[in-house]
Amino acid sequence: MALPASAKCVSFLINTGVRTAARQSSSQPKVALLGASGGIGQPLGLLLKQDPNIANLALYDLVGTPGVAADLSHIDSNCRVKAYTGAKELAACVEGADVVVIPAGVPRKPGMTRDDLFNTNAGIVRDLVECIAKAAPKAFIAIITNPVNSTVPIAVEVMKNNGVDAKKRIFGVTTLDVVRAQAFVSELKSTDAAKTVIPVIGGHAGITIIPVLSQIQPSVKFSEDEIKKLTPRIQDAGTEVVNAKAGAGSATLSMALAGARFANYLVRAVKGEKIEACSYVASDAVKGVEYFSTKVQIGQSGVEKILGVGSLSPYEKACVEAAVPQLQKEIAKGIKFIKG
């Protein structure tokens, strides 16, 4: 019987003497992409290869990574690409990484919610993070794998079980919600999408996705009717893509863009910048939940400040109140998956 990824990681570490204490230097950042051959992984790898802040890109998947790496290596950027295939090579892939990005897992199909993916994707995230805890315990971990509201708590609990307090270094990637909000609003209001900034708070599924339209910059006024139409469209945008693809997958291209943008934030933080961005993290921003997405300040040690929800409209406050019970269930489900 094949060893699980976590067991193979231990075996690799014992047999090779991999050092687990240090990340790469901030001058030569390494990003490991786990799930690099998939529908999100391939376009995400393409974007990461072009990021001038990334010196080394390690690609991991169960199959197909040599071909993806060969293809990407022909792109004329300074980032070096290396392929790792199968559980035996996972530890070598993540060892020394500054940032580990995880899009690995199965996508949604029509009629499915993100939570329907739990049984498969929870185990995938658990096994990958088990190896990261041993081979790259100081890495920043950016989790794309759904359901993010549950997989982020899973990752934190796995690291904790390995004696690693990584709460400030584990990020749920909610950037796609921000990107969608900015795209939809700029289309509706004929604003410059590149200059439109809208925070999205809460979580990364259904009613837990809360676009804070009242905080849009530059300032734009919305009618009550516009807000009540825009908010659910942003919340259900993923389903819009799933249905449009008619069983052929979920959001891959826009998710790759969002994942690359957030990975860029993390790499720049590793290099010494102070970055402000929305992310689903361990947080005390809202009473009653241990994890919540707000703007956070990210530095070389990870989350340095939870910047909070800010001033909310009555409609947005009601959305937060509605989201809390749903988040509580999804967070508890992730924690229970590890603790039993």
Side-chain angles (χ1 to χ4, degrees), residues 9 46 57 65 69 79 89 91 94 113-114 127 133 137 148 186 197 218 226-227 240 260 272 330:
C9 181
L46 172 64
L57 179 59
T65 39
C79 175
E89 297 185 2
V94 301
T113 66
R114 290 179 178 88
D127 291 347
V148 166
S186 65
V197 179
E226 285 174 329
I227 291 170
E240 184 178 312
E330 294 174 8

Side-chain angles (χ1 to χ4, degrees), residues 303-326:
V303 176
E304 294 182 341
K305 293 180 184 176
I306 302 291
L307 299 177
V309 301
S311 178
L312 303 178
S313 70
Y315 179 80
E316 291 157 355
K317 288 179 182 177
C319 287
V320 170
E321 289 175 7
V324 166
Q326 186 63 32

Side-chain angles (χ1 to χ4, degrees), residues 41 62 80 91 129 150 152 171 195 212 216 221 232 238 265 288 298 334:
L62 297 178
R80 294 184 179 182
V129 176
S150 301
V152 168
F171 304 84
K195 295 179 180 178
V212 188
I216 184 173
K221 290 186 177 180
Y265 297 156
I298 309 168

Side-chain angles (χ1 to χ4, degrees), residues 38 154 246 267 278:
I154 284 172
V267 171
C278 290

